[in-house]
């Protein structure tokens, strides 16, 4: 049995167990459905979610697609219900996990793999910045990227997460001293991580003739500034910033959001990006990767070594 079919088998068992618990355990019904009529929900959910998952586990490809689509639809509807009424917040989290799992399992069932390369296609495709552009253009593009991405991923989305956490009644009640302490700690960590991010972006734009964004990446292999100590300082800074914002908001959902983003980046985006770097820079990148760790900073590589590794990409 493939991993996708195995997931659907477990989901079918979990769905059946949940529908057994709904009429027998009032707290399960309240936490996951609120005041929704379970009978009306069961009429569609049992055949489309439970039975559909079982059929997908048996290898029925169409069932995998239908079940995944239904799970996403339920997630959206339940999120709206929970936001409007303040009920069933736990149900939203359960369906969020089920939706992500169903989408990934469907890809495994239908395609035999998870098509990670789709994330770097279209406008997000991996490509090199204009080598003939002046340095000021690379710096300006990097500044714009920082403003847009930090504003979105460290501002808008965390605030949406924190609002949902409160509205769905999932936010823990913290004593004032603890909440204030978390805010101060988060603010300090955010400043330090932001400094790392800015230093990394500066090195990428000025030394690499490009930007940190993979769709306008550097023309030269950058082994300067924070890149002498760790291969992915921008990603490390971004993850730390996300956790710091979560601490400032006293939001465990924001912390989970930041960690989940790091998993996606590490498991999907980073391998694609590093494969591109290895193709373009060859042995230079391989030597760099051997000397500098991916996530854990170490003593910076000597300046003379870093200088030797900086080269133009292979065309």
């Amino acid at each position: 049995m493939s991993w996708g079919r195995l997931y659907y088998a477990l989901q079918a068992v979990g769905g059946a167990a949940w529908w057994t618990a709904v009429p027998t355990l009032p707290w399960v019904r309240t936490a996951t459905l609120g005041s929704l009529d379970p009978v009306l929900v069961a009429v569609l959910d049992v055949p489309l979610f439970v039975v559909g998952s079982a059929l997908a586990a048996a290898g029925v490809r169409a069932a995998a697609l239908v079940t995944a689509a239904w799970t996403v639809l339920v997630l959206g509807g339940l999120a709206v219900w929970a936001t409007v009424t303040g009920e069933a917040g736990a149900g939203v989290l359960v369906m969020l996990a089920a939706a992500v799992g169903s989408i990934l399992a469907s890809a495994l069932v239908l395609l035999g793999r998870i098509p990670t390369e789709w994330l770097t296609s279209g406008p997000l495709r991996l490509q090199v910045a204009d080598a003939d552009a002046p340095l000021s253009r690379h710096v300006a593009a990097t500044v714009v990227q920082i403003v847009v991405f930090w504003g979105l991923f460290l501002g808008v989305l965390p605030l949406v997460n924190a609002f949902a956490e409160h509205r769905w009644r999932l936010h823990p009640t913290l004593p004032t001293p603890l909440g204030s302490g978390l805010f101060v700690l988060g603010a300090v960590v955010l400043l330090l991580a932001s400094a790392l991010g800015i230093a990394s972006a500066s090195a990428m734009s000025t030394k690499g003739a490009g930007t940190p964004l993979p769709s306008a990446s550097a023309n030269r292999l950058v082994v300067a500034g924070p890149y002498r100590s760790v291969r992915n300082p921008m990603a490390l800074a971004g993850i730390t910033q996300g956790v710091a914002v979560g601490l400032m908001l006293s939001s465990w959902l924001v912390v989970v959001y930041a960690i989940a983003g790091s998993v996606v980046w590490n498991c999907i985006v980073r391998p694609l990006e590093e494969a591109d770097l290895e193709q373009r820079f060859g042995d230079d990148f391989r030597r760099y990767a051997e000397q500098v760790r991916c996530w854990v900073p170490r003593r910076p590589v000597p300046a003379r070594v870093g200088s030797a590794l900086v080269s133009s990409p292979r065309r």
Side-chain angles (χ1 to χ4, degrees):
M1 179 180 290
S2 69
W3 286 108
R5 291 172 61 187
L6 176 60
Y7 170 84
Y8 271 120
L10 295 174
Q11 183 165 274
V13 172
W18 178 70
W19 274 115
T20 301
V22 165
T24 56
L25 299 173
W27 66 269
V28 173
R29 172 181 171 179
T30 300
T32 57
L33 289 177
S35 58
L36 285 171
D37 187 340
V39 176
L40 293 178
V41 178
V43 167
L44 290 175
D45 195 67
V46 170
L48 293 176
F49 184 75
V50 181
V51 177
S53 294
L55 291 174
V60 180
R61 295 161 59 89
L65 186 59
V66 171
T67 300
W70 170 251
T71 306
V72 172
L73 182 63
V74 171
L75 169 63
L78 197 58
V80 172
W81 173 263
T83 302
V84 172
T85 65
E87 302 175 348
V92 178
L93 296 186
V94 172
M95 291 311 299
L96 175 60
V100 173
S102 294
I103 291 171
L104 296 178
S106 292
L108 292 172
V109 171
L110 297 173
L111 304 175
R113 63 188 182 88
I114 298 174
T116 56
E117 69 277 4
W118 289 1
L119 289 179
T120 54
S121 60
L124 296 179
R125 66 186 183 278
L126 297 173
Q127 58 183 347
V128 181
D130 183 3
D132 297 327
L135 176 62
S136 59
R137 183 180 299 179
H138 297 310
V139 173
T142 298
V143 171
V144 171
Q145 290 174 20
I146 288 176
V147 171
V148 172
F149 282 89
W150 286 12
L152 177 62
F153 292 105
L154 300 177
V156 176
L157 293 182
L159 288 175
V160 170
N161 273 269
F163 169 78
E165 182 178 311
H166 284 272
R167 186 60 185 161
W168 298 345
R169 301 178 185 177
L170 299 174
H171 185 76
T173 302
L174 301 177
T176 301
L178 178 58
S180 299
L182 288 176
F183 181 87
V184 173
L185 175 62
V188 172
V189 174
L190 179 62
L191 288 174
L192 294 175
S194 298
L196 173 62
I198 292 173
S200 304
S202 175
M204 184 64 68
S205 60
T206 59
K207 304 295 184 181
T211 77
L213 198 65
S215 59
S217 60
N219 284 270
R220 295 186 291 272
L221 180 64
V222 178
V223 190
Y227 289 92
R228 292 176 57 204
S229 300
V230 64
R231 293 209 307 272
N232 298 288
M234 283 291 293
L236 182 61
I239 295 162
T240 307
Q241 286 173 310
V243 173
V245 171
L247 294 176
M248 293 175 68
L249 297 174
S250 298
S251 171
W252 68 271
L253 269 184
V254 174
V255 173
V256 171
Y257 150 81
I259 295 174
S262 72
V263 172
V264 171
W265 193 90
N266 184 66
C267 297
I268 298 178
V269 179
R270 182 182 64 82
L272 297 172
E273 189 176 272
E274 292 195 342
D276 176 69
L277 290 172
E278 185 172 358
Q279 180 182 9
R280 291 198 289 129
F281 297 110
D283 291 339
D284 287 342
F285 177 76
R286 284 187 284 271
R287 286 194 295 270
Y288 171 64
E290 289 175 358
Q291 296 179 38
V292 182
R293 296 170 181 162
C294 176
W295 289 110
V296 182
R298 63 185 304 174
R299 178 182 300 176
V301 296
R304 58 181 178 82
V305 176
S307 299
L309 290 178
V310 177
S311 64
S312 298
R314 300 183 177 183
R315 299 296 183 181

